[in-house]
């Protein structure tokens, strides 16, 4: 039996900070964040304690989906900078012990990528088969009934060649044909190109969708998710391609690879991340961010802490020594965590942001911090559909209106879930436009930047930022590093609908993590003797586990003896 899963890897105790370049920091006043702007803020990220940056796409792109539609994998979008800027970023990050992980978007390209332009040019072009072209069904309709994430149908008809092409996302994001070995080789080549520059790894966009069954059957599941997922999510071919990618590329570098994988359960999680399978380091699963809505149907559901705990604990336990988790509250596709799961106004904003951080950063796996989460940034209020930028917001809005939902109800849904909440620019200080730009920001800021901003947070020792910093220190520290990274996870009181409590244990040591998710006082007791109050989000230290009075959103970490 192999014991590769017991081998330590550098990314096991890593803390990842995600940057959405367009909204991070604008260095030249054109209103768009850029790479030189990121370089200016590397000290900020280093002080926070993150040692990996996941950079959302900076490649050349028509920006139909803000860079997730790439037209040249080997050059940098001019609005973000130059290749020299990118190399300087790698160099400057390295000086600070930070690795750069780039977004690898290879399920699809832009329709402006020369590969697609050639592919589209004629039926017998050598690149025709680099994308997925199919004849219409008898009667002229689409080759099958699959839907797209951003449009009603996953197929667009091309008049001149009389065929449809597949796009699981927008029609400007045609899917590459991974069944064609030339496509795979071209991708592997491009990966070497970047890795040789000293990259720390890749975040792989919707990587579990690359394997399509060759017969393209109709979907049968219409009650959840984008119709067709039963065929293109986690297809066995995908695992085979990943193993090939590992063999041809990844095994030659010591890198972090994280696959973005909607529609996965914990068994899939093991398939992707068990080290003996030689696929990828870890995945981003979607179960826990799917409980308060049906995204594709644009329907809101109630957040249920019991269900949340069940999902998170299942992932913690099922992957224990059998794979590796990534853990996150938010990213560039999700609303702001404190607005979604905590309380985003008054003093409870700071307390609940720290509470959420406590729960996540004491879990095993690699934690991801999305830009601004460390400030407790909140959702912005939008009043009209024209204020949104994201193509998905527009699609969901139209879908709701077509169903007969009122305009206001549709806007309310987007105010809860739009991806634009995460894409509103960072708040650096209280000056105009939050110090993000001296020009006109590409997307207007949340007016609360005057209160919530980085310069305030750096000065205030009780800020959310400094609390995140302490959590990162614990993960990397002598005292608790091992238990936080490698300890066993046990959920306490699964049915408790207000308090999230769990244990971590490693050798003789036990940590108890308790978090009140409610805005009410909760009285609880836990077994064990408290030896040491490690960290908490309120000034008072916890002393007695047998009689706890938890204030609204209170959270603490204690070392205990059971
Ligand atoms: O997201 C994939 C994906 O499944 C999203 O559409 C997801 O359903 C939603 O955004 C989560 O609420 C990735 C990228 O992260 C996203 O930004 C891109 O738009 C998409 O792929 C296409 O590349
Ligand atoms: Ca700029």
């Amino acid at each position: 039996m192999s014991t590769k899963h017991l081998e330590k890897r550098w990314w096991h105790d890593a803390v990842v900070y995600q940057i959405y370049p367009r909204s991070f920091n604008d260095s030249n006043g054109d209103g768009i964040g850029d790479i030189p702007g990121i370089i200016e803020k590397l000290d900020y990220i280093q002080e926070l304690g993150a040692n990996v940056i996941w950079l959302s796409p900076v490649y050349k792109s028509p920006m139909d989906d803000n860079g997730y539609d790439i037209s040249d994998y080997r050059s940098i979008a001019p609005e973000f900078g130059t290749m020299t800027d990118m190399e300087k970023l790698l160099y400057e990050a390295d000086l600070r012990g930070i690795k750069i992980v780039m977004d690898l978007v290879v399920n699809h390209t832009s329709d402006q990528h020369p590969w697609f332009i050639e592919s589209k040019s004629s039926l017998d072009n050598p690149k025709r088969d680099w994308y997925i072209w199919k004849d219409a069904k008898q009667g002229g309709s689409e080759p099958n009934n699959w839907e797209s994430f951003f449009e009603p149908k996953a197929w667009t008809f091309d008049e001149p060649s009389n065929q449809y092409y597949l796009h699981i996302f927008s029609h400007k994001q045609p899917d590459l044909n991974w069944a064609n070995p030339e496509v795979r080789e071209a991708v592997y080549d491009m990966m070497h190109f970047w890795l040789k520059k000293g990259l720390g790894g890749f975040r792989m966009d919707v990587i579990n969708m690359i394997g399509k069954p060759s017969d393209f059957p109709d979907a049968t599941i219409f009650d959840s998710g984008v119709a067709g997922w039963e065929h293109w999510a986690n297809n066995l071919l995908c695992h085979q391609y990943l193993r090939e990618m590992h063999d041809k590329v990844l095994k030659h570098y010591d890198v972090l690879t994280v696959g973005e994988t909607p529609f996965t359960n914990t068994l899939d999680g093991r398939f992707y991340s068990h080290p003996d399978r030689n696929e990828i380091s870890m995945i981003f699963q979607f179960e826990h961010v799917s409980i308060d809505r049906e995204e594709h149907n644009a329907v809101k559901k109630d957040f249920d802490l019991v269900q949340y705990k069940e999902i998170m604990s299942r992932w913690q336990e099922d992957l224990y020594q059998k794979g590796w988790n990534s853990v996150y509250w938010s990213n560039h596709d999700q609303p702001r965590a404190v607005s979604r799961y905590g309380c985003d106004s008054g003093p409870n904003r700071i307390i609940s942001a720290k509470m959420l951080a406590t729960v996540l950063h004491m879990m095993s796996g690699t934690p991801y911090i999305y830009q601004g989460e460390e400030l407790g940034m909140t959702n912005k209020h939008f009043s009209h559909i024209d204020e949104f930028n994201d193509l998905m917001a527009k699609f969901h809005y139209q879908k709701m209106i077509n169903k007969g939902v009122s305009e206001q109800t549709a806007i309310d849904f987007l105010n809860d879930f739009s991806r634009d909440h995460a894409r509103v620019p960072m708040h650096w200080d209280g000056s105009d436009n939050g110090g993000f730009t001296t020009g006109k920001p590409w997307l207007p800021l949340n007016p609360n930047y005057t209160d919530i901003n980085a310069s305030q947070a750096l000065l205030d020792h009780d800020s959310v930022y400094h609390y995140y910093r302490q959590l990162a220190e614990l993960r990397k520290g002598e005292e608790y590093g091992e238990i936080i990274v490698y300890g066993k996870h046990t959920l306490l009181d699964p049915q408790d609908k207000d308090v999230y409590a769990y244990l971590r244990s490693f050798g003789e040591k036990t940590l108890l993590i308790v978090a009140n998710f409610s805005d009410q006082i909760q009285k609880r007791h836990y077994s064990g003797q408290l030896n040491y109050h490690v960290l908490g989000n309120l000034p008072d230290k916890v002393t007695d586990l047998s009689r706890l009075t938890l204030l609204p959103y209170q959270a603490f970490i204690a070392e205990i003896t059971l």
Side-chain angles (χ1 to χ4, degrees), residues 385-397:
I385 186 61
D386 293 343
E387 294 169 21
F388 293 91
N389 167 270
D390 181 27
L391 78 175
M392 194 182 207
K394 293 178 181 156
F395 174 54
H396 283 170
Y397 180 82

Side-chain angles (χ1 to χ4, degrees), residues 100-225:
I100 305 286
V101 162
M102 285 180 89
D103 225 303
L104 184 77
V105 188
V106 289
N107 173 69
H108 45 270
T109 68
S110 160
D111 65 339
Q112 299 306 308
H113 194 294
W115 297 343
F116 188 71
I117 294 175
E118 274 195 52
S119 179
K120 198 179 165 179
S121 68
S122 74
L123 283 167
D124 53 12
N125 184 279
K127 293 226 164 39
R128 185 66 174 182
D129 186 47
W130 280 42
Y131 293 83
I132 299 167
W133 293 98
K134 296 273 170 237
D135 291 335
K137 268 189 186 163
Q138 282 222 320
S141 65
E142 290 77 12
N144 66 27
N145 62 0
W146 295 1
E147 295 173 336
S148 144
F149 278 81
F150 299 153
E151 292 170 21
K153 309 230 159 168
W155 299 93
T156 289
F157 188 62
D158 176 54
E159 286 273 3
S161 67
N162 203 26
Q163 282 195 318
Y164 284 91
Y165 67 89
L166 178 73
H167 52 88
I168 296 182
F169 294 89
S170 103
H171 68 285
K172 293 176 161 305
Q173 294 166 298
D175 282 49
L176 281 166
N177 179 17
W178 274 73
N180 182 333
E182 285 174 19
V183 168
R184 304 203 298 273
E185 286 304 326
V187 170
Y188 303 154
D189 241 33
M190 176 270 284
M191 293 173 76
H192 279 294
F193 167 84
W194 284 105
L195 289 164
K196 281 186 194 143
K197 290 185 186 288
L199 220 57
F202 287 111
R203 176 268 186 184
M204 303 180 176
D205 193 65
V206 291
I207 200 65
N208 65 329
M209 305 184 186
I210 60 177
K212 276 92 177 174
S214 57
D215 55 346
F216 290 85
D218 272 334
T220 58
I221 301 176
F222 301 99
D223 43 6
S224 75

Side-chain angles (χ1 to χ4, degrees), residues 492-510:
L492 300 177
D493 304 333
Q495 295 308 320
D496 191 327
K497 61 184 187 17
D498 295 304
V499 178
Y500 196 155
Y502 63 91
L503 298 174
R504 300 298 310 282
S505 46
F506 191 85
E508 297 294 289
K509 234 181 220 170
T510 306

Side-chain angles (χ1 to χ4, degrees), residues 264-274 283 315 319 322-324:
T264 41
N265 59 32
T266 57
L267 195 55
D268 298 311
R270 287 167 58 177
F271 292 164
Y272 288 109
S273 70
H274 193 294
I283 62 167
W315 280 88
L319 266 61
K322 300 190 174 89
W324 195 256

Side-chain angles (χ1 to χ4, degrees), residues 25-34 79:
N25 185 32
D26 174 22
S27 72
N28 62 355
D30 67 354
I32 299 175
D34 45 50
E79 52 268 67

